[in-house]
Amino acid sequence: MFGSFSYQTKIFLTLAAFLFAMLTIINVINYYRNESLIENDLAQNKQQTTIKLQEQVDDMLKEMDKLSISVNASDSIMDVMKSITSDSDQNYFTEHPAISAELQNSLLSFTSLQSLKGRISLVSRFGDYLSLSNRMDVIKVDKSHVRLMPTFGQYIGMEDYKRFLPPHPDPWSLSGDSVVSIVRPLRDNYNVYGYVEISYSVKELEKIFFFRNDLTSGNVIILDANRNLLFSSLSQQFEGKIDANRLVNMPLVGEFGHFQLKLPGTGSQMVFYSGLSITDWNILLVEDLSTFRRPITYMRNSSITIFLAVLAVLMLLLYYYTNRVTRPLRKLKDSLANVDLVKLELLPARLRTRNEITLLGVAFQELLDELKISMRQTEKSNQRALVAQMNALQAQVNPHFLHNTLTVIAAFGNSSGNRKVEELCIALSDMLRYTMKFNRKDSTVGAEIEHVEQYLTLMQSKYEGFVEIEMDVDPAVKPIPLPRLSLQPLVENAFQHGFLGIDPPWKLSVRASVNEEEWSLAIADNGVGMSPELLTRVRRQIDELRIDPGAETERLAEESAEENLSPIGQGNGIGLTNVVARLYLFYGEAIAVQMDHRPGGGTVITITGRRTG
């Protein structure tokens, strides 16, 4: 069935399936990765909120404990508590209003740094009672009433130094509002003289749970070490589903953590807990799992929506793209089927489009045009090669004749006793023999140096006493390959151009050195040098030859074909551009030629090459 579809349909379905698979895989991987990250972030945020609640409750209990320690450490209060006897049935603090006022001032001084948030109650071992409160609903009780309280005997006889009381009705208030208290016995090393009770309203806890932490649900509970419910801000319906068995089985492991709790009729709940540091209570923050995962649900719905929208847009673009691709391909097929092999042309009517695929036809036509140009260039190159061959054969005639003639003259000078004539003839003969080696185009630095020395021998004889030659050649540089006749034309330029117009002595130096990475040749003279404009032009020509060294060969060949002359026979022989072109053709990017002004006057040409082995 798939094989019966059109070419466009096949491409569209294949790419659509691949695109759908890739988008699905990327979306699924991205979703689960982000889900894990978001869930961890949400859990950490809720855990930090729970820890913050625990720290704030700890701070409140520590504040109460600090206040009770201040009372216990007060000498004036302890002296009064020790002086109370059981002789009278009346409240000691009622019978002694001055002492009561003094004690209340002492208690009030403990709260000078911050306002009193509840009640401070002093109870003697005989039931005498004194309180300091920020409320006006203090109950009036006598000693018998205090002694009948079930907690009186417990607090007087308790062995621990302090005891935190969970939320409970305030026994010293007419309204009986719930309070959180700390009880500390007032004792010395031997006897207990009473106790102090610091009570804060439960509303202080509610402020922590609802205002300071901006809890929208406020589902907070407090459990003691035995998993008894001490405080709860849950709704009665919700609280009724958490029975004692579920409280006992809660996995409160470690100082803090979280877990899921399944409740009948309400679904799963996320519970975050943190233990108080000052007592063995635990703060629990309860949140519905669906509320907790609401950002994840939003991300999932957003991901699905974006996935479907992107998929729809990409499918439309894919259909448009495949339609555009296949239409030019059909035109290109028709055009390629009608190639004229004689004229090497495509049908031009089929190429009127800017589509990238159709432009392949235009590129193919350009390729054919380049092929025709290349064929013409090959034909011209063959013609130039024939002319060059003829010129080379013709150029061999005169050097052979001159070499034989110089040999005869050298023999005559030897027989006549004229050693100078013999030396010059031998030097010139060796130079001719070196230039006549047409079968070898490459040479070495050592051979080129010897050829230069023979040339300088002739120049020193011609300009006897005028020329000072300095040769400094490292023997290690001599085996390095170099195109034949690369150095002698550069030295010759010094005599033909550099020394013209200046008085002797004429100084010429040839230096060659080599290291592990590169070798260098430098030819320097003390001639007239170059003007800045000429030096700039020469440097530009050197840069152009580095990019296209074959341009100089084409120019020389065209001049040779037009004038029917060999480049070697023109002017003063091989020019600077010819030498530079052959160096770049021989070495490519591994060599550099530089021309500069010489300090003190003159010109220096430097050839630097990289060592390849």
Side-chain angles (χ1 to χ4, degrees), residues 501-534:
I502 66 168
D503 297 329
W506 300 333
K507 296 182 181 181
L508 180 74
S509 67
V510 179
R511 302 180 185 276
S513 61
V514 65
N515 56 35
E516 295 181 356
E517 297 181 355
E518 63 182 16
W519 56 271
S520 177
L521 282 167
I523 300 172
D525 63 66
N526 66 337
V528 295
M530 295 183 179
S531 65
E533 295 78 10
L534 179 58

Side-chain angles (χ1 to χ4, degrees), residues 1 44 250 292 549:
M1 179 178 179
Q44 290 180 4
M250 284 185 176
F292 172 75

Side-chain angles (χ1 to χ4, degrees), residues 161-178:
Y161 290 95
K162 63 182 176 182
R163 181 179 299 176
F164 288 99
L165 305 179
H168 62 282
D170 186 3
W172 312 110
S173 171
L174 293 174
S175 61
D177 292 338
S178 294

Side-chain angles (χ1 to χ4, degrees), residues 76-86 92 99 125-126 193:
S76 60
I77 294 177
M78 289 299 295
D79 290 341
V80 172
M81 299 300 288
K82 289 179 182 180
S83 64
I84 298 176
T85 64
S86 59
Y92 177 84
I99 296 176
R125 54 186 167 173
F126 304 113
Y193 301 101

Side-chain angles (χ1 to χ4, degrees), residues 296-345:
I296 299 176
T297 303
Y298 176 80
M299 184 202 68
R300 181 179 64 248
N301 296 335
S302 300
S303 298
I304 294 174
T305 303
I306 294 174
F307 169 77
L308 294 177
V310 171
L311 182 63
V313 172
L314 291 179
M315 287 297 179
L316 291 175
L317 293 177
L318 184 61
Y319 179 82
Y320 175 78
Y321 173 76
T322 54
N323 182 58
R324 296 276 296 181
V325 166
T326 54
R327 186 171 55 201
L329 283 176
R330 289 192 296 270
K331 293 182 179 181
L332 179 61
K333 181 194 67 174
D334 296 337
S335 297
L336 294 178
N338 292 278
V339 173
D340 189 341
L341 297 179
V342 177
K343 296 182 179 180
L344 293 178
E345 293 180 352

